[in-house]
């Protein structure tokens, strides 16, 4: 008689609060459901962007649910630098070695610094590897900044595209913005992107300089925090002195008719 095969672990996609690097934090139980927190507390093997932020997240989880192991005994493996800096949605990076614990019967958590891993964040290569190895992939419930911003924008939520980060060079950024605006106005498809906090002012300035006055621009920052700001106006209205996000809070931008 053949010996029974050992149980494989699952790959859990663990969302985290959106307040990474923000000056304030919301209580973790306010933004993550009990099931997500309890599942995270029961995982000891992690694949992540940054080990330090992962430990900080687990410390917050431990304040609501006892961790399966102390922080010092958590197995935390960072994705290679080139993966989490350039993204792995189209790379040839092989994530299978990172899932050795799952093949040995342990659950593995995939985590990013903020929000849902593999959505506007690295992790796709690990998810693909799990599917290739026959490991169950289980996404947990939690905040996704893109969808929260889209829902609150008043823009088309039936047809939309996330385009990542825009070019840093002012000339290239302007050309890209005009391209996205043309696509949005022609098709009705909402165009969304994100920006790092210290470039928020330059982004808003560039938007107001190059977009049509009737184009609707929505900006959401500090989502899920008490200080959250969600504004949706025409570019002409923005030009009348409306304040954009500060230089310390990540923001999601969206444009459309």
């Amino acid at each position: 008689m053949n010996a029974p095969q050992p149980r494989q672990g699952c790959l859990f996609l663990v969302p985290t609060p959106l307040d990474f690097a923000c000056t304030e934090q919301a209580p973790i139980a306010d933004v993550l459901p009990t099931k997500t927190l309890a599942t995270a507390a029961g995982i000891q093997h992690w694949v992540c962007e940054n080990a330090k932020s992962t430990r900080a997240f687990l410390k917050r989880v431990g304040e609501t649910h006892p961790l399966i192991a102390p922080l010092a005994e958590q197995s935390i493996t960072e994705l290679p630098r080139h993966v989490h800096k350039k993204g792995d949605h189209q790379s040839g990076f092989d994530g299978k070695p990172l899932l050795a614990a799952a093949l040995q019967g342990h659950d593995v958590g995939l985590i990013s610094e903020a929000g849902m891993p593999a959505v506007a964040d690295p992790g796709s290569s690990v998810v693909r590897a799990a599917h290739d190895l026959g490991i169950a992939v289980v996404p947990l419930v939690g905040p996704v900044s893109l969808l929260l911003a889209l829902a609150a924008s008043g823009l088309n939520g039936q047809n939309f595209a996330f385009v990542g980060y825009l070019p840093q060079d002012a000339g290239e950024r302007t050309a890209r913005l005009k391209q996205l605006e043309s696509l949005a106005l022609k098709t009705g498809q909402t165009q969304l992107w994100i920006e790092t906090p210290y470039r928020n002012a330059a982004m808003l300035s560039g938007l107001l300089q190059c977009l049509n006055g009737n184009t609707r621009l929505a900006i959401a920052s500090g989502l899920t925090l008490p200080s959250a700001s969600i504004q949706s106006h025409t570019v002409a209205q923005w030009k009348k002195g409306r304040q954009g996000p500060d230089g310390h809070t990540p923001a999601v931008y969206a444009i459309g008719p």
Side-chain angles (χ1 to χ4, degrees):
M1 178 179 292
N2 293 330
Q5 295 296 313
R7 170 195 175 273
Q8 284 190 343
C10 295
L11 175 65
F12 285 96
L13 311 186
V14 182
T16 56
L18 301 177
D19 53 24
F20 170 73
C22 294
T23 55
E24 61 177 329
Q25 291 184 327
I28 196 168
D30 286 356
V31 293
L32 292 177
T34 300
K35 177 65 174 179
T36 296
L37 291 169
T39 302
I43 297 173
Q44 190 174 355
H45 298 268
W46 296 90
V47 178
C48 67
E49 275 187 271
N50 182 282
K52 182 178 179 180
S53 62
T54 299
R55 292 189 186 95
F57 167 72
L58 290 174
K59 182 178 179 180
R60 294 172 72 181
V61 171
E63 294 171 356
T64 64
H65 292 73
L67 300 179
I68 193 173
L71 288 178
E73 297 176 16
Q74 296 280 338
S75 174
I76 301 174
T77 303
E78 291 184 342
L79 288 162
R81 181 176 176 82
H82 72 274
V83 169
H84 67 78
K85 289 299 181 183
K86 296 184 178 181
D88 58 345
H89 50 285
Q90 293 181 330
S91 75
F93 176 72
D94 183 6
K96 294 185 182 70
L98 301 178
L99 295 171
L103 295 176
Q104 297 167 3
H106 304 286
D107 291 331
V108 174
L110 177 64
I111 188 173
S112 67
E113 290 185 314
M116 178 66 76
V119 177
D121 269 319
S124 298
S125 60
V126 182
V127 176
R128 289 195 300 272
H131 287 299
D132 291 344
L133 292 170
I135 296 169
V137 176
V138 183
L140 299 178
V141 176
V144 180
S145 62
L146 303 178
L147 296 182
L148 293 174
L150 176 62
S153 70
L155 294 167
N156 188 351
Q158 306 298 318
N159 184 8
F160 55 91
F162 171 63
V163 298
Y165 287 96
L166 271 55
Q168 296 183 34
D169 176 80
E172 293 179 3
R173 183 175 61 238
T174 294
R176 180 62 168 146
L177 285 171
K178 288 182 175 296
Q179 179 187 50
L180 294 174
E181 181 184 44
S182 176
L183 179 61
L185 297 180
K186 180 179 179 180
T187 66
Q189 183 183 67
T190 300
Q191 305 295 311
L192 299 105
W193 65 93
I194 53 179
E195 188 53 277
T196 53
Y198 67 90
R199 288 201 291 266
N200 279 332
M203 174 60 71
L204 181 56
S205 176
L207 285 162
L208 300 188
Q209 288 176 23
C210 74
L211 296 185
N212 295 323
N214 290 331
T215 295
R216 180 167 288 273
L217 165 64
I219 306 177
S221 63
L223 291 169
T224 71
L225 293 174
S227 60
S229 171
I230 304 172
Q231 301 184 69
S232 181
H233 312 288
T234 65
V235 169
Q237 290 170 329
W238 276 102
K239 287 183 176 180
K240 293 179 179 179
R242 298 184 184 277
Q243 296 296 311
D246 60 33
H248 309 285
T249 309
V252 179
Y253 296 78
I255 58 173

